[in-house]
Every structure is written in structure tokens, then in C-alpha cells.
């Protein structure tokens, strides 16, 4: 406290700091990590955060908010119906996307539930650049099927292709042409999550729109990871170089009939919503909001989160606010690449994606190489990542495994949360693990839920490989954590 004399004569201490929030972290030692992951059924989703050093599970609901977001939360108007907070949010959504109709929902998958229930009937097929886990679950739940039409190069792990999230336009046109009525809508996912947070180009989206218009099909955009995709369009797509982020957003929105998003990602808050310029679509989906979510002016979100989202969406239009994630991820990807660790290139949004198919090429897909790598990385570092491979798939109706195209360990970098030295630590431990990769073994389920099994299924190692890995860690790092 500074000793400052006030003109008016008051004698009070004057704070010389500004208030920021930090959260203390704990780094358990390797033996404690072994005990914790065993207790968690070798599923990183089941670890308590008290056992986690750097939480790289997801970027969902854990991005750092700005001071303006935090401040806005204090001004929320708590009302069951007709809240001014909702008016501010829906006005902001309209301002950004140009969509006058907005339906709030508690998170992204709730929007998927509403869209799937409104449009998907048994026998329908929904073409998309690539599926997301919860999207597919909702569509199949309604008796529909998902058809992935990502361009072939999108699935190449190492690539210099800048827009790996692009849809194969010829394949889309010929599929729809066969039987347009079978296609309730086409879905494009921004920052395509399961192939490594990879963007589509504006040009590709415009081509998808043209095909949809040609056959009178609805185009739905999953904008959950839009902020990363916007940054990549701005920096990688030559024809968009001189457009502002806001202009690019408007052009994207103008292609789409329905836009939905998880506000746990977009806008760095917690919630979700569906917006459209089409009153008919709005009226078709609207009854499901009070049914599943809450009244039409909050949809399951807290008013505080809605205020934070209103500000967060505006901040998404600021390139300086949305470039931190992709730039940090690019740094991590480059460092790993330099050390020879196989990662998805080019770096995308959301996080750094390690290629478990190559990292653990001695583990067969039926023993979940990406799940095993997630466990091994937790043992080696106390950092938790997420399996994005065969474990994240659902078994086929005959009980056989649906092998994933890619086996990835996703190390999410929630926006503005980690320091560079923390990222360096994760890289260091991953490099060590890569040098010792032959010690990693497979996993098998001991409890396997039928739907979305990766969330809470339990597994065990197929041998005593974890003991060997822990022993090697001790031998190499001595008594260091
Ligand atoms: N769509 C995409 C592209 C997503 O990445 C997610 C969530 C959802 C929809 C569902 O949104 O979680 O708010 O219900 N992705 C999180 C993740 C879970 O970790 O990647 P939600």
C-alpha cells in the first residue's frame, strides 16, 4: 500500500494493484498420478481436477474470461421471462450474424437435440464435412445417419493444406442429386473438431451453399469453433485478406440457413443458441426450447453467463482477441514437430493434436492407441488430454468396433489460460514419452456404456505397462515431480 496524502485530508491506504484471478495448481508425483488414473478407470474424463496439473481436456467452458465479461455479469437482469439480458444477447447475435431470430439453449448439444428432433426422420442422411460426437449421437438417435464428405486430404495427418475442413463439393452434389428428400439438411462444422480443429474456407462454404440452394436443402452451420475458423480465413485465405473479421462473419452467416453454437467455446462463456433469418425455421424449432431448455428468454443459461456471452461474442470480432489460441497452438505444434513427435499439421484451433496412430504404432486400434496415449501422457506429466479416436466412436449395431479414421490425443489449450512455460512443460514431457513410446501398452473396457462411451466408460491396461513406464520415469527424472 502506498502512503499517499489525500488533498481532502483523508488517511486511507491506496491500493497499488489491480485485481486479477488466478487458480493455484497442484502437480501430483508420478506414483500419485498412477494411483489417480487407475482410480479413474484409465479414462481422463473421470479424473478429479485435484489430480490434474494442466487441464488440457477441452476448451469447453474453461476459457479465461475478459475483465469486461466478468464486469458484464454483474449487470444481469434476472427474470424468468422477458429479461433485458436476453434482449441484449439476441441483439448482439443479430448484430454479428445478421439473424433476427434467436433461440437460447443451455449448450451446443442442446441445439443439436432441437435441430435433430425438428428435422431428422428415420431413413434420413445428413451430409457434413465431418461429424462431432454429440451431433452424430443426436442424428442417429432420431433414426438418421451421418455422411462425412470431407475432402480426402482433410484426413491426412501431416499436410500443408490450409483448409482441411473443406467439404468435397462434387461428392455432396452427387449424393444430394440421387434423392434430395432424403437429406433434411447439410451441416458444416467450423474449426472441424475431430480432425484437429481444422478450418473450412469461405470459398468452400459458398460452394456448399450453392449446392444446397440448387436442391432446396437447408444449410446448418455448427459455429462452436467459429472464432478459430475466422482467424484462419483472415490469415490463410488470400481473397479475404482485406476483409475484417466482422465482414467475414457476415459472409459466412449469409451462406447459412441455421447457425448454432456452443457458447462454452464461441464467446468464452457457458451456454448455446440457434439463430436464423428464416421465420419458418424459427417457428418449427421454437416449441422445443421451453420443452427441453427453459423459457424462451434464457433457454437454460444463467443470466450472468448470457451477459458474459454478449460481451464475448463482440470480442470474437476482434482479431487480437481470437488469435491467441491458434498462435499458441501453432507454437506447440512447431515445437513438437521439431522434436520429431507426430502431430497434426498444419496446427488448427482448439488444441494440439498428437497422432497416436504413429506415436503408438505398436498398439492395435482395438486396444485404443489414443486412449492409451492419453493415459501415458497423464502419467508422464500430470496433464490431462482427451482421446479422440476409436474410443470416441460408437460400436456398429452388430457389436463390432467402428475404427476411427484418426487416432488422436487432443491437448486442448483453453483460450488465454496457460502460460508459455506451462506449454513448454507439456512439450518436454511429451518428447520424453515419445522417446519411451515402446513402453506404452493398450487398454480394454471393463465397463462400456452403449452411447458416448468415452465420457464415462472404464478401462484397464492390457499388461503391466504402466508400472514399467512409472519406473522409467523415476529412473530418468530422479525425485523430481
Ligand atoms: N459442436 C462442436 C463442434 C463441438 O466441439 C462441441 C463440443 C459441440 C458441438 C457440443 O457442444 O459441449 O456445448 O454441448 N465440444 C466439446 C469438446 C465437448 O471438448 O470438444 P456442448
Amino acid at each position: 500500500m502506498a502512503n499517499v496524502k489525500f488533498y481532502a485530508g483523508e488517511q486511507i491506504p491506496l491500493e497499488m494493484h489491480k485485481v486479477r484471478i488466478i487458480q493455484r495448481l497442484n502437480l501430483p508425483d508420478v506414483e500419485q498420478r498412477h494411483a489417480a488414473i487407475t482410480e479413474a478407470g484409465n479414462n481422463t474424463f473421470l479424473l478429479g481436477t485435484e489430480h490434474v496439473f494442466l487441464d488440457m481436456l477441452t476448451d469447453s467452458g474453461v476459457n479465461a474470461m475478459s475483465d469486461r465479461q466478468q464486469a458484464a455479469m454483474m449487470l444481469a437482469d434476472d427474470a424468468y421471462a422477458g429479461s433485458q439480458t436476453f434482449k441484449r444477447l439476441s441483439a448482439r447475435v443479430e448484430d454479428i450474424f445478421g439473424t433476427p431470430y434467436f433461440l437460447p439453449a443451455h449448450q451446443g448439444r442442446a441445439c443439436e437435440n432441437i435441430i435433430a428432433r425438428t428435422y431428422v426422420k428415420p431413413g434420413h442422411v445428413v451430409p457434413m464435412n465431418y461429424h462431432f460426437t454429440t451431433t452424430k449421437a443426436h442424428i442417429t438417435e432420431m433414426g438418421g445417419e451421418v455422411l462425412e464428405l470431407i475432402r480426402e486430404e482433410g484426413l491426412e495427418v501431416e499436410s500443408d493444406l490450409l483448409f482441411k475442413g473443406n467439404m468435397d463439393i462434387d461428392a455432396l452434389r452427387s449424393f444430394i442429386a440421387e434423392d434430395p428428400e432424403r437429406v433434411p439438411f447439410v451441416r458444416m462444422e467450423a474449426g472441424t473438431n475431430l480432425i484437429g480443429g481444422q478450418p473450412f474456407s469461405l470459398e468452400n462454404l459458398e460452394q456448399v451453399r450453392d449446392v444446397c440452394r440448387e436442391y432446396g436443402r437447408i444449410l446448418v452451420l455448427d459455429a462452436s469453433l467459429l472464432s478459430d475458423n475466422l482467424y484462419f480465413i483472415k490469415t490463410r485465405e488470400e481473397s479475404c485478406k482485406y476483409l475484417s473479421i466482422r465482414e467475414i462473419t457476415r459472409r459466412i452467416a449469409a451462406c447459412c440457413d441455421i447457425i448454432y453454437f456452443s457458447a462454452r467455446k464461441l464467446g468464452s462463456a457457458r451456454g448455446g443458441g440457434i439463430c436464423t433469418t428464416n421465420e419458418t425455421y424459427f417457428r418449427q424449432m421454437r416449441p422445443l426450447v421451453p420443452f427441453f431448455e427453459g423459457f424462451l428468454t434464457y433457454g437454460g443459461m444463467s443470466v450472468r453467463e448470457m451477459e458474459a456471452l454478449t460481451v464475448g461474442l463482440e470480442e470474437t470480432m476482434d482479431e487480437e482477441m481470437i488469435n491467441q489460441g491458434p498462435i499458441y497452438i501453432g507454437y506447440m505444434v512447431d515445437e513438437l514437430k521439431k522434436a520429431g513427435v507426430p502431430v497434426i499439421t498444419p496446427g488448427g484451433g482448439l488444441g494440439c493434436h498428437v497422432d497416436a496412430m504413429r506415436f503408438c504404432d505398436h498398439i492395435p486400434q482395438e486396444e485404443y492407441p489414443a486412449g492409451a496415449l492419453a493415459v501415458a501422457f497423464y502419467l508422464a506429466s500430470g496433464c490431462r488430454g482427451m482421446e479422440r479416436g476409436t474410443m470416441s466412436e460408437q460400436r456398429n449395431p452388430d457389436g463390432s468396433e467402428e475404427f476411427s479414421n484418426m487416432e488422436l490425443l487432443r491437448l486442448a489449450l483453453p483460450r488465454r489460460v496457460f502460460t508459455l512455460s506451462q506449454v513448454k512443460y507439456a512439450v518436454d514431457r511429451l518428447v520424453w514419452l515419445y522417446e519411451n513410446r515402446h513402453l506404452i501398452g493398450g487398454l480394454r473396457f471393463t465397463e462400456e456404456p452403449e452411447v458416448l462411451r468415452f465420457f464415462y466408460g472404464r478401462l484397464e491396461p492390457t499388461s503391466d505397462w504402466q508400472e514399467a513406464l512409472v519406473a522409467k520415469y523415476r529412473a530418468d527424472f530422479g525425485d523430481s515431480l
Side-chain angles (χ1 to χ4, degrees), residues 71-253:
M73 291 173 96
M74 305 307 288
L75 296 171
D77 175 28
D78 230 332
Y80 187 88
S83 149
Q84 291 174 58
T85 289
F86 177 75
K87 286 181 190 148
R88 285 194 276 270
L89 174 57
S90 70
R92 180 59 48 79
V93 170
E94 179 170 3
D95 173 51
I96 287 175
F97 294 114
T99 47
Y101 302 106
F102 178 60
L103 294 168
H106 78 275
Q107 62 184 87
R109 71 200 66 183
C111 306
E112 292 171 335
N113 179 42
I114 291 167
I115 295 169
R117 274 176 193 271
T118 307
Y119 296 108
V120 180
K121 306 277 175 293
H124 277 173
V125 180
V126 181
M128 53 185 72
N129 52 349
Y130 208 73
H131 82 279
F132 183 68
T133 51
T134 54
T135 325
K136 187 171 175 176
H138 282 293
I139 290 170
T140 53
E141 182 71 11
M142 299 314 297
E145 251 178 74
V146 156
L147 176 68
E148 286 161 341
L149 296 177
I150 191 94
R151 281 178 49 187
E152 220 175 291
E153 311 88 89
L155 297 179
E156 279 166 18
V157 172
E158 279 178 36
S159 165
D160 46 20
L161 204 74
L162 299 178
F163 292 103
K164 287 163 84 177
N166 279 354
M167 182 93 100
D168 182 333
I169 301 297
D170 293 338
L172 176 68
R173 180 177 283 106
S174 55
F175 181 77
I176 298 182
E178 265 173 40
D179 181 1
E181 296 308 313
R182 192 172 42 160
V183 175
F185 60 85
V186 173
R187 173 178 173 275
M188 277 295 269
E189 183 179 311
T192 323
N193 190 328
L194 295 189
I195 60 161
Q198 300 292 322
F200 57 64
S201 65
L202 179 59
E203 184 189 19
N204 185 256
L205 182 69
E206 287 172 346
Q207 290 165 344
V208 172
R209 171 206 59 196
D210 291 344
V211 176
C212 288
R213 300 242 162 110
E214 196 177 326
Y215 292 95
R217 301 296 91 193
I218 299 173
L219 176 53
V220 174
L221 173 70
D222 180 339
S224 305
L225 289 164
L226 183 67
S227 70
D228 300 331
N229 206 129
L230 283 168
Y231 171 76
F232 289 126
I233 288 179
K234 170 84 182 165
T235 54
R236 293 181 183 175
E237 194 164 349
E238 192 55 31
S239 60
C240 296
K241 212 158 70 181
Y242 301 111
L243 297 178
S244 67
I245 296 289
R246 197 177 288 278
E247 284 164 338
I248 298 170
T249 308
R250 275 300 184 104
R251 291 206 187 182
I252 288 175

